[in-house]
Amino acid sequence: MSRERTYKVDLLTRVEGEGRFHLVVDGEDVKEAHLSIFEAPRFFEAFMRGRSFQEAPDIVARICGICPVAYQMSAVRALENALAWVPTPEIRTLRRLLYCGEWIESHALHVFLLHAPDFLGYASAMDMARDHKALVERGLRMKKAGNSLIEVLGGRAIHPVSVRVGGFSRAPSPAELGALRPALEQGLGDALTTVKWASGLRAPELESDYVFVTLCAQDYPLEWGDQIAISGRGQFPVEAFDELFEEQQVARSNALHCRLRDGTPYLCGPMARLNHAHERLHPTALAALATSGLTLPLRNPYRSIVVRAIELVHAFAEALAIIDGYSCPQPACFDLEAASASGSGASEAPRGLLWHRYELDAGGLVETARIVPPTSQNQARIEADLVAIAPELLRLDHDAATRRCEQLIRAYDPCISCATHFLELTIDRAGADRSSAI
């Protein structure tokens, strides 16, 4: 009788987008592991062609309703690099504050509404709220604080409209930012409580030998950085992205796979940032890390929920510090002259490195655009981790195996589509006369 088993996850949900997982195992040897993304192509890079460089921040913001600021920040960095313009310290600081708002709303959404149910044994955050009302309310309160910060700086909480190549269309007054302080102070206290809570969650055992990739700068990687750090290999200019990484089309997926040029899959996102740059955390977040029980280098993806809680502390603490020292940019925006040019830029989206590159003609119209989001960079690494837990899955029943696959994939917070709440797993056993589906 054959020992081969085929595990198929036909509808991968509670992640952004539509995908499936397919695993073929012979005994404990994994013969095939595919994470297939069948979300329809969105063609944003083609939409950009022929549009003015000034339109880019508003167009790319529409790529994602959770992390539009990340797309805007990577776009303005790439275009300002192309046009050889460096933002003033005041504009840079305001952009970092805006990015703090996005990290807060995105991490709070993921920690409390998407990933916490996996650890506490609930099918959804709604189910979890019946028994853990205060926990869910804390997450919603923190997310609201992040949304309010984006709204004041960006003009609205979703798809903000104030970011321009050259600055902001409008800078908030000190009084407007000061009004956010009570909610941010409450959020900082909530974030510290969340670190303690997340540290106490029981995480499955898994240690993988990751290659971590992050943006590298003087501060904790967020909206700024001209170098990319690759663990064990060094630091390289953002402009050298294509010399370091290669995107590949795979037949099973509408999302490109990005790997190092030698074919090595790598991990970007919170765990990579913490391993590479923990010493640059805000002192309050660094103190929270010291009490979290995490040991660096951290190589267990299930513990990323703790890392996101620490980054929540960092974002709240840094936002408060920026507001306390805020100086309104004068002017808020500089007019940049169109030119035939090309440039690259990157920022650290909540889910990891987000790289953009644009080529402009003499009139400032976009000739080509390339965008490499963090999920395409992590996709091969997710597959590798699913292979790593295959022996454990074989020892679990279908319900437990399904939950374990979902929990691992959600640890990456893949930005494929709007999150939902279950994973369908079918097991077909070669040589057996039955199959089962959950």
Side-chain angles (χ1 to χ4, degrees), residues 70 73-74 99 102-103 213-216 220-225 227-229 268-270 272-273 276 311 346-355 374:
M73 290 298 110
S74 291
Y99 223 123
E102 178 157 286
W103 270 26
V213 172
T214 62
L215 201 58
C216 185
Y220 194 73
L222 200 67
E223 92 299 346
W224 188 267
Q227 298 279 315
I228 295 174
C268 61
R273 289 192 290 261
H276 272 183
E311 287 195 337
S347 66
E348 280 286 339
R351 292 152 192 83
L353 185 71
L354 173 58
W355 183 81

Side-chain angles (χ1 to χ4, degrees), residues 167-419:
F168 285 84
S169 60
R170 175 187 178 275
S173 68
E176 288 177 295
L177 292 183
L180 296 171
R181 218 178 186 291
L184 294 172
E185 288 175 341
Q186 169 77 60
L188 178 56
D190 286 339
L192 289 166
T193 302
T194 301
V195 173
K196 184 177 181 180
W197 165 80
S199 300
L201 296 173
R202 183 175 180 181
E205 295 294 331
L206 178 62
E207 292 282 334
S208 294
D209 186 18
Y210 294 109
V211 172
F212 298 115
V213 172
T214 62
L215 201 58
C216 185
Q218 183 176 355
D219 300 318
Y220 194 73
L222 200 67
E223 92 299 346
W224 188 267
D226 294 320
Q227 298 279 315
I228 295 174
I230 304 175
S231 56
R233 308 195 183 199
Q235 298 180 11
F236 307 89
V238 168
E239 282 284 344
F241 187 91
D242 279 332
E243 299 171 21
L244 305 169
F245 307 99
E246 182 178 24
E247 288 186 290
Q248 298 175 331
Q249 180 71 59
V250 293
R252 62 184 179 276
S253 179
N254 286 335
L256 296 174
H257 278 206
C258 191
R259 298 171 179 261
L260 296 179
R261 280 281 171 182
D262 64 4
T264 303
Y266 60 92
L267 182 145
C268 61
M271 195 162 73
R273 289 192 290 261
L274 190 77
N275 279 300
H276 272 183
H278 64 278
E279 72 282 356
R280 282 169 261 162
L281 284 166
H282 187 280
T284 306
L286 197 58
L289 170 63
T291 63
S292 68
L294 295 183
T295 301
L296 301 180
L298 179 65
R299 298 187 180 278
N300 183 340
Y302 297 105
R303 302 294 282 170
S304 63
I305 192 171
V306 186
V307 181
R308 286 188 174 87
I310 292 169
E311 287 195 337
L312 277 168
V313 174
H314 176 86
F316 275 112
E318 182 151 10
L320 286 165
I322 290 174
I323 289 174
D324 287 346
Y326 177 62
S327 176
C328 189
Q330 296 292 343
C333 192
F334 292 79
D335 291 328
L336 305 190
E337 186 174 348
S340 176
S342 61
S344 303
S347 66
E348 280 286 339
R351 292 152 192 83
L353 185 71
L354 173 58
W355 183 81
H356 286 217
R357 180 169 179 81
Y358 299 91
E359 293 181 354
L360 306 178
D361 67 15
L365 301 182
V366 175
E367 290 186 318
T368 64
R370 280 190 57 209
I371 298 172
V372 182
T375 295
S376 75
Q377 298 177 70
N378 281 334
Q379 196 170 335
R381 191 56 253 182
I382 294 173
E383 289 184 344
D385 273 354
L386 287 167
V387 170
I389 66 169
E392 180 187 5
L393 296 180
L394 296 175
R395 294 190 289 270
L396 301 174
D397 61 30
H398 276 87
D399 284 340
T402 300
R403 289 193 296 271
R404 188 55 49 84
C405 287
E406 285 186 303
Q407 187 175 11
L408 177 61
I409 294 170
R410 288 187 190 117
Y412 281 83
D413 192 14
C415 192
I416 305 169
S417 182
C418 297

